[in-house]
Amino acid sequence: MPASPSTARVINDRLALRLLQREGPLTAGQLKQLTGLSRPTVADLVERLTASGLIEVAGETGEQRRGPNAKLYGIVAGRAHLAALDVRTEGVAVLVSDLVGRVLAEASVPIGGDTGTGTAVERAVTLVERAAKEAGADPLHTLGIGAPGLIDPVSGELRDSSGLPEWHRRLVAALQERFPDARAHVENETNLAALAEQREGCARDRDTFVLLWLGHGIGAAVVLDGGLRRGASGGTGEIGFLPVPGTDGLPSATGCEGGFHSLAGSAAITALAAEHGLTARARADEPVAAELVRRAVDAVRTTPAPRLPPAPADRSPEDGADPLRDATDVPDPGADAADPVAVDPVAADRRPDARADRFLDALADRLTLGVASVVAVLDPGCVVLGGEVGQAGGDELALRVARRLRLMAPLPTEVRPSALGGGAVLRGALLTARESAQDELFGSGAREAPGLPEAAQRRMRVAR
């Protein structure tokens, strides 16, 4: 059934605005080409959107052609201002942008574990006020807030969660009180990171994938057929509670100690590094585990591995062969089998790069336990190692996990490192705020309709 004229106008307007958002200023001719709409239809929507104050003439083009220059139309960026917040147990980060996502101000504030609830809330709210003032964003139109814990799928509110500070739940109400005209949208931090990786990071070519968040804590976000899956209670991805071998016990309903968190959380990774003789100081705004992994990766990449004597040819599983370890025993392509240079195994074992190599192998063993469980249940085809630790591990850690995963899971799965790291939460919060603001300002009509040409429908899906 074809769309009604009014619905078609809304859809056409949204399509044009999405394209202007993605491509930047365009001429009417370029809009015609990208949308597949007729010239009169494009002329009507340009006039309509200009009159409504959503787009404006942003310049001219035509230096390469004869005749008068063509006008370039762009979104009125100052029509609305947005704030994105990354709320963590140890502090808050905020950025303020215009309607097209151009960042105008950024700030952060640490909040220690001994800070009182009222003081913590006031620090966070003051931070947002200061950033908005610096950006000249008065008033704020939309707030996008990323926080750890469960988000109620019905009310959209942050639920009570054990282990999280009380000021987290108080913060949303305080922000709404201080910015009464702003719309606030709260989302789980890992879900926002997945959204950012899908739109701007390493998963832009994936409609289905799982992001494994590796930061101070751990979590997972599930994207199936292009959409986030939150679950019946908003708890999809609470992978820290996953029972796994290698821990001292089992997790409980009130705590994830004994679950996957005990193997892959920042504290667990730091302890694992110490077992291998590796230490580091944390960089600002990231867990120490990220710096440990980063240094380990640098060590194994910059220092050639020593050539140890080969294992006996008749070694068998009964001799203690480890299929996970053997899968990663890739010969050095630069090695010469006739090279007579001998290496002292004891000295080689003490080299910093040898310790780093063993640490990364042990970490990959741990991560694969969680990844294999996710793959067996969801078959996502792609797993992103996200957060600060996932980005620090880069291709080196992702490759080690992928090798082990091939031995543990029968389903083909690509393992990728995060492109955005810890900054993915802020980017995802900004994308959420921007989309919400645009839905309101641009009109929330249907996104697709059979009355549009198929080519235009495809372009609308891409332009989101």
Side-chain angles (χ1 to χ4, degrees):
M1 176 178 171
S4 67
S6 60
T7 300
R9 283 193 294 271
V10 170
I11 294 171
N12 293 343
D13 290 355
R14 286 180 61 85
L15 174 57
L17 289 163
R18 294 292 183 191
L19 288 168
L20 290 169
Q21 170 72 61
R22 189 190 70 182
E23 303 290 342
L26 297 170
T27 66
Q30 291 169 327
L31 282 170
K32 175 183 178 297
Q33 180 181 9
L34 290 171
T35 61
L37 299 172
S38 68
R39 188 179 302 277
T41 300
V42 171
D44 286 344
L45 73 83
V46 167
E47 182 179 357
R48 190 164 55 247
L49 294 174
T50 302
S52 65
L54 292 174
I55 68 173
E56 62 186 355
V57 176
E60 292 183 343
T61 188
E63 293 81 356
Q64 307 299 324
R65 59 194 272 286
R66 294 182 178 181
N69 292 346
K71 295 179 180 179
L72 283 166
Y73 296 95
I75 292 175
V76 180
R79 179 68 183 269
H81 290 94
L82 322 169
L85 286 81
D86 180 1
V87 181
R88 305 200 183 189
T89 55
E90 66 279 0
V92 177
V94 62
L95 63 80
V96 177
S97 83
D98 58 23
L99 187 57
V100 298
R102 184 170 57 246
V103 176
L104 305 175
E106 293 184 80
S108 63
V109 62
I111 298 177
D114 57 349
T115 305
T117 298
T119 302
V121 169
E122 185 59 30
R123 284 183 187 173
V125 173
T126 300
L127 179 75
V128 178
E129 287 182 320
R130 188 167 65 245
K133 182 177 180 180
E134 178 185 338
D138 185 22
L140 288 174
H141 183 280
T142 306
L143 304 171
I145 304 168
L150 304 181
I151 309 299
D152 189 293
V154 177
S155 67
E157 296 179 352
L158 187 64
R159 295 171 51 186
D160 285 320
S161 299
S162 60
L164 295 178
E166 173 63 23
W167 66 266
H168 278 199
R169 296 191 73 249
R170 293 270 300 276
L171 176 60
V172 177
L175 287 169
Q176 291 178 321
E177 181 179 341
R178 197 70 59 92
F179 302 98
D181 296 327
R183 294 100 177 130
H185 298 270
V186 187
E187 180 59 270
N188 174 267
E189 59 178 354
T190 308
N191 286 345
L192 290 177
L195 174 64
E197 294 286 0
Q198 185 183 36
R199 301 282 184 84
E200 301 179 346
C202 69
R204 282 175 287 183
D205 60 335
R206 304 292 308 195
D207 285 333
T208 296
F209 69 99
V210 169
L211 180 137
L212 178 62
W213 179 264
L214 301 170
H216 285 285
I218 64 169
V222 177
V223 178
L224 300 179
D225 300 323
L228 280 167
R229 296 296 186 260
R230 297 174 175 83
S233 61
T236 295
E238 290 295 322
I239 197 171
F241 288 87
L242 180 72
V244 291
T247 66
D248 294 332
L250 291 172
S252 70
T254 58
C256 55
E257 291 301 322
F260 187 50
H261 173 83
S262 296
L263 293 183
S266 177
I269 294 174
T270 301
L272 179 66
E275 292 175 11
H276 290 82
L278 304 178
T279 59
R281 298 175 69 90
R283 296 187 183 184
D285 302 323
E286 73 171 20
V288 66
E291 181 65 12
L292 288 163
V293 170
R294 184 181 297 112
R295 290 190 179 188
V297 169
D298 289 343
V300 299
R301 284 180 175 173
T302 58
T303 308
R307 298 174 200 158
L308 299 176
D314 60 349
R315 186 178 63 171
S316 66
E318 289 75 13
D319 297 324
D322 182 348
L324 278 182
R325 191 76 62 230
D326 292 348
T328 64
D329 289 341
V330 179
D332 180 358
D336 183 351
D339 190 346
V341 177
V343 176
D344 179 358
V346 175
D349 192 58
R350 293 174 178 168
R351 292 164 60 110
D353 55 290
R355 296 197 300 269
D357 188 67
R358 291 197 305 275
F359 163 63
L360 290 174
D361 274 343
L363 177 57
D365 287 343
R366 291 184 173 193
L367 296 181
T368 305
L369 292 174
V371 172
S373 299
V374 168
V375 168
V377 174
L378 296 175
D379 186 18
C382 177
V383 173
V384 174
L385 302 183
E388 297 91 348
V389 175
Q391 185 181 46
D395 292 331
E396 182 70 34
L397 182 58
L399 179 61
R400 292 174 189 238
V401 173
R403 287 170 173 168
R404 289 157 173 78
L405 186 62
R406 284 197 295 269
L407 294 174
M408 293 185 68
L411 307 173
T413 305
E414 185 180 0
V415 181
R416 300 179 179 180
S418 166
L420 302 176
V425 178
L426 265 182
R427 292 303 306 172
L430 177 59
L431 288 168
T432 298
R434 191 178 73 189
E435 187 162 292
S436 173
Q438 290 179 353
D439 279 345
E440 179 178 334
L441 295 171
F442 297 173
S444 57
R447 298 191 177 204
E448 299 173 24
L452 278 181
E454 174 59 26
Q457 292 193 32
R458 287 197 302 270
R459 291 186 180 106
M460 174 171 271
R461 288 191 287 268
V462 171
R464 287 182 204 168

